[in-house]
Amino acid sequence: EAQLVESGGGLVQAGGSLRLSCAASGFTFEHYAIGWFRQAPGKEREGVSCIGTSGVIKYYEDSVKGRFTISSDNANNTVYLQMNSLKPEDTAVYYCAADRGRCGKGMDYRGKGTLVTVSS
């Protein structure tokens, strides 16, 4: 069974850092692009970042550029999202999701999410 499991969320003060992890299992990891998405209360889900199958292509939503870094550990089927200089507006449930072949809307597999709360 394909699974994506997020971890690393929590409560942090503005300006702080968190590292989210997305552990994949049950599918051929290297064939899938992995993206991070987030959904804040009352808002639509938005894409935050994505890493392609090669680990070379990376995308970032404009509001997180320069603050967030996505990386991949193919040996352990895990994708990370390092989040620095966090702001209260980053508060949301963060999900990782997989798309076969290239970054997309996270339609193939999706985790249950981890809550990130940034206090001001």
Side-chain angles (χ1 to χ4, degrees):
E1 178 186 0
Q3 269 193 317
L4 291 170
V5 179
E6 303 91 341
S7 61
L11 173 64
V12 64
Q13 288 187 332
S17 299
L18 285 173
R19 188 176 80 155
L20 305 184
S21 299
C22 171
S25 62
F27 61 96
T28 306
F29 183 76
E30 56 264 30
H31 292 172
Y32 287 79
I34 304 294
W36 284 97
F37 300 81
R38 65 186 179 186
Q39 188 164 21
K43 295 187 177 181
E44 293 187 356
R45 186 178 76 129
E46 65 173 349
V48 175
S49 182
C50 184
I51 187 165
T53 56
S54 65
V56 174
I57 295 176
K58 300 178 183 179
Y59 297 105
Y60 296 96
E61 194 269 331
D62 286 346
S63 70
V64 308
K65 285 180 181 177
R67 300 189 296 123
F68 291 10
T69 303
I70 193 169
S71 61
S72 178
D73 178 355
N74 283 7
N76 291 302
N77 291 358
T78 301
V79 171
Y80 302 99
L81 186 69
Q82 178 67 43
M83 307 187 297
N84 299 329
S85 302
L86 282 161
K87 303 176 181 180
E89 51 264 44
D90 294 318
T91 294
V93 176
Y94 283 71
Y95 305 85
C96 61
D99 289 288
R100 184 174 177 87
R102 62 179 63 187
C103 290
K105 295 183 179 181
M107 300 302 290
D108 289 327
Y109 307 117
R110 185 183 302 179
K112 294 182 179 180
T114 185
L115 177 63
V116 172
T117 304
V118 184
S119 64
S120 57

